[in-house]
């Protein structure tokens, strides 16, 4: 079998992301989540289910101490190649988030980002290829298991940011709340103002009381059909 062709994506911060067709590639949801996430200076940050490292590399700042965890050895190896290519310090680990205790100590992170599998296994949304299906469907980790892992690695007061499908928002919020991850910021993503949202961005704080801000919707395109100013800023257009 021929090796998958490798391509290089230049991220908004100038870092390079190595990709192949074998694994899930950088998509709009990860780009928008990276912009939405707001880790404080010098924070310890985990990219949970990091895949090839698109999120971790997108949020990279020299002051952050970033780690990534993924169950797919091949994806993590590609991530490590990107880390070496960019000459940055990120700890990329192979591990199962369902056994998160084997990878990280309890409460060891200030912030976490996660682009979890959106669809239930067997829903018909699985992508071709086992690796890409793992990224899209929850046969390897349900949203409840993702929330449990996030709660374990965050200390009280720590935060996490996720992107998910609006039609499964209740499942996400319910899972987060059960793990003491209280939603504090929420933003819907729309292709245009007259379209239903295609994604929802959520930031939570562990152990916090009620009080969530629903931010103005993110619009990819304006009324004239051209990319919005915010979309152009994020993509550097």
């Amino acid at each position: 079998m021929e090796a998958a062709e490798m391509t290089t994506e230049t991220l908004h911060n100038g870092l390079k992301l190595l990709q192949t067709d074998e694994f899930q590639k950088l998509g709009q949801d990860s780009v928008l989540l990276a912009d939405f996430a707001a880790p404080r200076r010098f924070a310890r940050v985990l990219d949970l289910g990091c895949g090839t490292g698109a999120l971790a590399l997108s949020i990279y700042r020299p002051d952050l101490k970033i780690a990534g965890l993924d169950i797919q050895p091949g994806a993590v190896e590609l991530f490590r190649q990107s880390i070496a290519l960019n000459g940055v310090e990120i700890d990329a680990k192979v591990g199962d988030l369902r056994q998160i205790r084997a990878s990280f100590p309890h409460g060891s992170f200030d912030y976490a980002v996660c682009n979890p599998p959106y669809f239930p296994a067997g829903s018909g949304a699985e992508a071709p290829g086992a690796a890409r299906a793992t990224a899209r469907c929850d046969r390897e980790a349900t949203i409840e298991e993702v929330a449990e892992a996030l709660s374990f690695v965050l200390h009280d007061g720590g935060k996490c940011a996720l992107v998910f499908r609006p039609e499964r928002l209740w499942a996400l919020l319910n899972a987060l709340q059960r793990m003491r991850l209280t939603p504090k910021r929420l933003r819907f993503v729309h292709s245009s103002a007259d379209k239903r949202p295609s994604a929802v961005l959520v930031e939570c704080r562990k152990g916090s009381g009620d009080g969530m801000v629903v931010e103005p919707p993110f619009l990819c395109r304006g009324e004239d059909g051209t990319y919005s100013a915010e979309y152009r800023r994020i993509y550097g257009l």
Side-chain angles (χ1 to χ4, degrees):
M1 182 181 295
E2 294 184 4
E5 181 181 357
M6 187 178 297
T7 59
T8 304
E9 178 85 19
T10 301
L11 304 173
H12 72 284
N13 57 8
L15 297 186
K16 307 292 186 182
L17 172 67
L18 298 177
Q19 304 185 106
T20 70
D21 288 336
E22 182 180 359
F23 302 105
Q24 190 77 6
K25 291 189 173 182
L26 176 68
Q28 177 177 285
D29 288 354
S30 289
V31 173
L32 299 186
L33 177 57
D35 185 74
F36 177 78
R40 62 171 174 77
R41 283 180 57 79
F42 304 109
R44 297 162 297 170
V45 182
L46 173 64
D47 181 0
L48 186 67
C50 61
T52 59
L55 259 177
L57 291 168
S58 294
I59 65 172
Y60 175 82
R61 301 192 316 249
D63 64 288
L64 299 177
K65 186 175 179 61
I66 301 176
L69 180 73
D70 200 272
I71 197 171
Q72 304 172 93
V76 173
E77 175 55 33
L78 194 57
F79 184 12
R80 289 170 177 164
Q81 291 180 43
S82 292
I83 292 169
L85 175 64
N86 289 289
V88 297
E89 292 188 12
I90 298 176
D91 181 19
K93 290 187 175 184
V94 177
D96 188 338
L97 65 82
R98 293 169 296 186
Q99 282 87 48
I100 192 72
R101 291 163 177 77
S103 298
F104 301 107
H106 178 256
S108 54
F109 288 92
D110 306 301
Y111 204 97
V113 291
C114 185
N115 184 350
Y118 294 146
F119 306 104
S123 65
E126 298 193 17
R132 293 176 63 192
T134 295
R136 287 172 56 85
C137 295
D138 65 8
R139 64 185 185 183
E140 296 293 344
T142 66
I143 192 58
E144 290 81 10
E145 290 167 333
V146 168
E148 184 177 359
L150 288 169
S151 183
F152 178 81
V153 298
L154 292 171
H155 58 72
D156 275 0
K159 296 181 179 181
C160 59
L162 307 92
V163 60
F164 213 57
R165 281 287 179 262
E167 59 268 27
R168 298 195 67 206
L169 178 58
W170 170 244
L172 172 65
L173 296 183
N174 187 47
L176 293 170
Q177 189 66 56
R178 290 179 62 182
M179 290 294 114
R180 300 180 59 241
L181 297 171
T182 305
K184 305 300 289 184
R185 294 168 56 216
L186 185 147
R187 193 176 196 192
F188 289 101
V189 177
H190 302 250
S191 59
S192 59
D194 61 338
K195 301 294 185 183
R196 293 179 178 178
S198 59
V200 60
L201 302 161
V202 182
E203 185 184 62
C204 302
R205 185 181 179 115
K206 183 178 177 181
S208 175
D210 293 339
M212 181 176 69
V213 174
V214 179
E215 298 183 353
F218 181 95
L219 302 179
C220 297
R221 296 181 182 271
E223 293 182 359
D224 60 359
T226 62
Y227 288 124
S228 67
E230 192 171 17
Y231 188 94
R232 293 197 304 271
R233 173 188 63 78
I234 292 172
Y235 276 88
L237 301 178

